Amino acid sequence: MEKYKTVLTEIGERLQLVRQLLDQPVTRVEWIAVELRIVLELIVLGSLVTNRNAISKVSSVFKVTDVTEARKLVREVNPGYWPTQLASGPRDDDGALTAQPFEGDFLRENEWGRDYGFLCELVHAGHPYAEPRGLASIVERLRSLLYRIAILLRQHAIVLAGNQDAYLGQLDIDGGEVLVAVLRRPENS
């Protein structure tokens, strides 16, 4: 649990940096793209912190930027690797807090590969004959990705590889606060 909290803390620091960079006039996007790319890798690798062999195998695939292979490997080790964004629900009959799936705009599992590819394109030299992209549209997409990641991780459930319990993770990039707690099923369920 502490290792996952460490991952979330690093993600939060990187997202704060990205937000600071995007709050200034942007002339170069490579640094922002690298930070967001690392954040996506940390999200994927975060659920594997309890499995040293799996994390080594998946991280080595990222080094050659094969997102499809990385996704396949991480799903083999931990099918529940992607965080489930949660919204706070009403209290139950016993007064306990409840949570339900969040319905808003956040980064979904089926989107991260496409966004990862976009970020990779930004950090590599472009084809000299390709049409240049407009900086404003790139910055807007980076800003959108930042906020979709922040919303995903604001309050989420995740299953760490090799664990039966789910964990509640909370990341507040405004205050830099990180919380990780075990979510256990009631014994009678």
Side-chain angles (χ1 to χ4, degrees):
M1 188 164 75
E2 280 303 310
K3 287 188 186 313
Y4 186 65
K5 186 175 181 179
T6 300
V7 169
L8 276 184
T9 300
E10 181 178 348
I11 290 171
E13 291 166 355
R14 290 178 183 280
L15 291 177
Q16 286 176 333
L17 174 61
V18 167
R19 188 172 58 189
Q20 289 171 2
L21 293 170
L22 287 171
D23 285 345
Q24 302 170 21
V26 176
T27 57
R28 305 292 305 178
V29 295
E30 292 85 354
W31 186 10
I32 297 167
V34 166
E35 291 296 332
L36 287 173
R37 191 171 97 168
I38 292 170
V39 164
L40 289 179
E41 292 173 4
L42 288 169
I43 292 170
V44 172
L45 295 173
S47 76
L48 303 179
V49 295
T50 53
N51 188 324
R52 184 183 301 262
N53 292 335
I55 205 166
S56 296
K57 188 187 283 188
V58 175
S59 64
S60 69
V61 172
F62 270 123
K63 289 185 172 108
V64 294
T65 65
D66 187 344
V67 175
T68 305
E69 188 64 23
R71 182 182 294 133
K72 180 179 160 191
L73 280 172
V74 76
R75 279 186 184 149
E76 285 175 13
V77 176
N78 185 10
Y81 78 96
W82 193 255
T84 301
Q85 215 295 334
L86 300 173
S88 295
R91 293 188 180 269
D92 67 12
D93 294 339
D94 296 327
L97 290 174
T98 62
Q100 53 203 12
F102 182 76
E103 299 297 326
D105 187 22
F106 59 92
L107 184 65
R108 290 170 169 76
E109 180 188 7
N110 65 351
E111 299 170 331
W112 76 264
R114 181 176 51 248
D115 286 319
Y116 188 83
F118 167 71
L119 297 170
C120 289
E121 287 176 17
L122 294 178
V123 299
H124 295 294
H127 191 289
Y129 293 105
E131 278 294 315
R133 293 189 199 192
L135 183 62
S137 66
I138 291 172
V139 169
E140 190 53 41
R141 185 165 174 189
L142 292 170
R143 187 173 280 116
S144 172
L145 180 56
L146 164 69
Y147 286 106
R148 289 176 27 242
I149 292 170
I151 292 168
L152 168 68
L153 298 177
R154 179 177 54 203
Q155 180 169 283
H156 63 280
I158 191 157
V159 176
L160 302 182
N163 284 283
Q164 292 186 337
D165 294 322
Y167 292 84
L168 172 69
Q170 294 179 331
L171 172 60
D172 173 13
I173 67 166
D174 294 324
E177 294 180 53
V178 174
L179 170 79
V180 177
V182 178
L183 294 174
R184 289 198 172 96
R185 290 187 173 91
E187 292 190 24
N188 60 356
S189 67

